[in-house]
Amino acid sequence: MAPSAEGFDTVLVVDYGAQYAQLIARRVRECRVFSEIVPSSMPVAQLLAKKPKAIILSGGPSSVYVEGAPQTDPELFDAGVPVFGICYGYQAMALALGGEVRKTGLSEFGRTELTVAGDGGVVLAGLPPQYKVWMSHGDAVFAPPPGFIATAATDGAPVAAFEDPARKFAGVQFHPEVLHTEHGQKVLEHFLYDVAECRPTWTMVNIVEEQIDRIRLQVGGKRAICGLSGGVDSAVAAALVQRAIGDQLTCVFVDHGLLRKGEAEQVEQDFVASTGVNLKVVDASERFLAALDGVSDPEEKRKIIGREFIRVFEHAAREVIEANESAGETVDFLVQGTLYPDVVESGGGEGAANIKSHHNVGGLPDDLQFALVEPLRTLFKDEVRRVGEQLGLPSEIVWRQPFPGPGLAIRIVGAVTRDRLAVLREADAIAREELTAAGLDREIWQCPVVLLADVRSVGVQGDGRTYGHPAVLRPVSSEDAMTADWTRVPYDVLARISTRITNEVREINRVTLDITSKPPGTIEWE
């Protein structure tokens, strides 16, 4: 089932193969206009069948002159739909409409000064005559298509922006969607509101109301089950379905013993108190610890945790099904916290029930069949958090940092033991407490704490030498997890975290800071 948002203006973002499409789609939604990503291979007739209010052609890694590079069908521009080209999409648009695009032999990458021509037309109206934008191109537009006017230039791009207001077409060589481009959001707003005349009605209140109606229509009087992981996505999905169908929903929480300090209690107490959901708790911590005994290889850890999770969840689901069958009712639906990036990255494929890869957890057995309820399928993570707030979930749940399904097991470099988990839990709790006290919760996307359990270093604690474990702080900032940079945490906050960990967690005698970006490093160590 493709994402949809009936009743809202829809902007299609055509993906030309780079990571920009998701970011553009998010920026459009920040303008309170619904957006959907579609592949550049989609025929024009299928694009138009979605009845878009506007179409945005995204950036991409290719040159328009490379053999096999994606092209834009000129038929698109005869449909009467407003079109906005960005970077590669801008050049493909220029080429399709008869403009001149040249291989210059020169490239512009990174911050570049843009000079606005005249009044900037509609899209650049009211912006400074010169400002910094983010460029990433080798080819350049040297002459706009017939009927277009050039509205900006840079040293490497003689025509860095153009528009044809009469036909509601416009484009820019730079990337307005990235934070490094000054006034980028304003550029998008001008196209969406002033050129395409989109209505800014995509709000959290409307989203919640629409999804509640959809869930009630889909589920009817039948019953549903949801696997709670302790994360934001499953919590918000469950709360939304609970709001729609009440006690027809049963949630199953598998406590694998690998969560952070206080998180299991948060699910069992705070989530239930705020939603009133029926919750079945399965304490499987001993089972997971036994299965992980002596295993140090990170991939093997993930496979074991995935396998055991499926077995435990399957057993719990069967118990829920049997309890309902004895009362003459059936459980026909499985609630999943699938987000829009999951849909995009899986190709937007259709099909029935495979449980969402619970952060490297596989599918349910074939004989345990459900129809899927995926109320967050059209949303990005930041939108999910706002829905959670709208539903009244505790901020500790809504703003919880992303946390891997295999939990602390992949933040222990070495074998997982009960003692090592206890050590890491305390260190992690201290780091989170101090970051919260410093007001950095929403500035830092997440801060994994890694225990180097197979490494020991000499230290001095009290009057004696110690031979303890190092711990690594990994504070990162990111919007999409595809790329990330280490967060510049104030030195005094880092000092407090280090002092508290080495004072309060005796097994740790050294705290280090990971300052690697992604790429080349990953966010997790294992």
Side-chain angles (χ1 to χ4, degrees), residues 283-403:
D283 184 353
S285 54
E286 293 294 337
R287 175 174 181 157
F288 279 84
L289 273 174
L292 290 167
D293 184 35
V295 178
S296 297
D297 180 77
E299 283 308 308
E300 188 63 21
K301 289 180 189 176
R302 289 176 183 270
K303 289 176 183 176
I304 289 170
I305 294 166
R307 181 193 70 214
E308 294 303 317
F309 180 89
I310 288 300
R311 289 175 178 172
V312 174
F313 185 85
E314 177 192 6
H315 181 74
R318 290 194 187 282
E319 289 183 341
V320 173
I321 291 169
E322 290 167 3
N324 280 280
E325 285 177 344
S326 66
E329 297 178 304
T330 60
V331 181
D332 298 296
F333 296 93
L334 173 68
V335 179
Q336 289 193 169
T338 308
L339 304 192
Y340 191 43
D342 302 321
V343 176
V344 173
E345 288 159 15
S346 66
E350 301 180 1
N354 283 337
I355 189 171
K356 178 186 172 185
S357 183
H358 167 77
H359 299 270
N360 299 311
V361 170
L364 287 173
D366 292 337
D367 62 345
L368 201 60
Q369 290 290 335
F370 297 105
L372 294 183
V373 179
E374 298 176 305
L376 311 180
R377 187 179 172 87
T378 61
L379 305 182
F380 288 98
K381 176 77 81 173
D382 53 333
E383 294 172 320
V384 170
R385 293 190 195 278
R386 294 203 297 274
V387 168
E389 289 181 321
Q390 186 70 30
L391 292 169
L393 291 180
S395 61
E396 293 82 7
I397 292 177
V398 172
W399 290 99
R400 175 176 292 156
Q401 293 181 353
F403 189 61

Side-chain angles (χ1 to χ4, degrees), residues 415-428:
V416 179
T417 68
R418 185 185 306 281
D419 289 344
R420 288 175 173 183
L421 284 168
V423 169
L424 181 53
R425 243 184 225 111
E426 291 304 317
D428 175 84

Side-chain angles (χ1 to χ4, degrees), residues 255-293:
D255 182 359
H256 52 26
L258 306 171
L259 293 174
R260 293 173 291 191
K261 186 175 182 178
E263 287 188 328
E265 293 79 8
Q266 228 173 42
V267 174
E268 294 180 47
Q269 298 169 20
D270 298 351
F271 182 75
V272 172
S274 63
T275 62
V277 75
N278 295 324
L279 181 66
K280 179 181 179 66
V281 178
V282 182
D283 184 353
S285 54
E286 293 294 337
R287 175 174 181 157
F288 279 84
L289 273 174
L292 290 167
D293 184 35

Side-chain angles (χ1 to χ4, degrees), residues 8-170:
F8 298 97
D9 287 343
T10 295
V11 173
L12 299 182
V13 178
V14 179
D15 183 1
Y16 283 103
Q19 61 189 8
Y20 301 111
Q22 285 197 33
L23 191 51
I24 294 168
R26 287 182 58 182
R27 295 290 182 246
V28 170
R29 294 181 184 205
E30 287 172 10
C31 297
R32 304 191 308 283
V33 178
F34 179 72
S35 61
E36 179 183 339
I37 299 170
V38 295
S40 60
S41 58
M42 180 175 283
V44 171
Q46 288 185 29
L47 288 174
L48 299 180
K50 293 177 174 290
K51 299 181 180 178
K53 185 73 173 177
I55 294 172
I56 296 178
L57 309 178
S58 84
S62 301
S63 161
V64 290
Y65 290 112
V66 170
E67 185 176 351
Q71 300 296 321
T72 301
D73 189 336
E75 184 183 338
L76 176 67
F77 304 104
D78 297 328
V81 178
V83 180
F84 187 60
I86 294 175
C87 194
Y88 180 89
Y90 168 73
Q91 294 173 2
M93 181 180 184
L95 210 57
L97 289 168
E100 183 184 358
V101 181
R102 293 186 199 169
K103 282 182 163 183
T104 63
L106 301 173
S107 300
E108 284 182 316
F109 294 101
R111 286 185 184 272
T112 305
E113 186 153 293
L114 182 82
T115 300
V116 177
D119 62 4
V122 180
V123 172
L124 303 183
L127 301 183
Q130 289 186 317
Y131 62 94
K132 299 291 185 183
V133 298
W134 189 261
M135 287 285 200
S136 179
H137 71 99
D139 303 334
V141 177
F142 273 72
F148 283 71
I149 58 170
T151 57
T154 67
D155 288 344
V159 181
F162 58 43
E163 61 185 51
D164 180 349
R167 289 190 288 173
K168 298 185 182 296
F169 296 156

Side-chain angles (χ1 to χ4, degrees), residues 214-232:
R214 278 173 170 268
I215 294 163
R216 286 173 178 162
L217 184 64
Q218 181 183 6
V219 176
K222 297 182 178 177
R223 292 189 170 270
I225 190 170
C226 177
L228 281 178
S229 68
V232 178

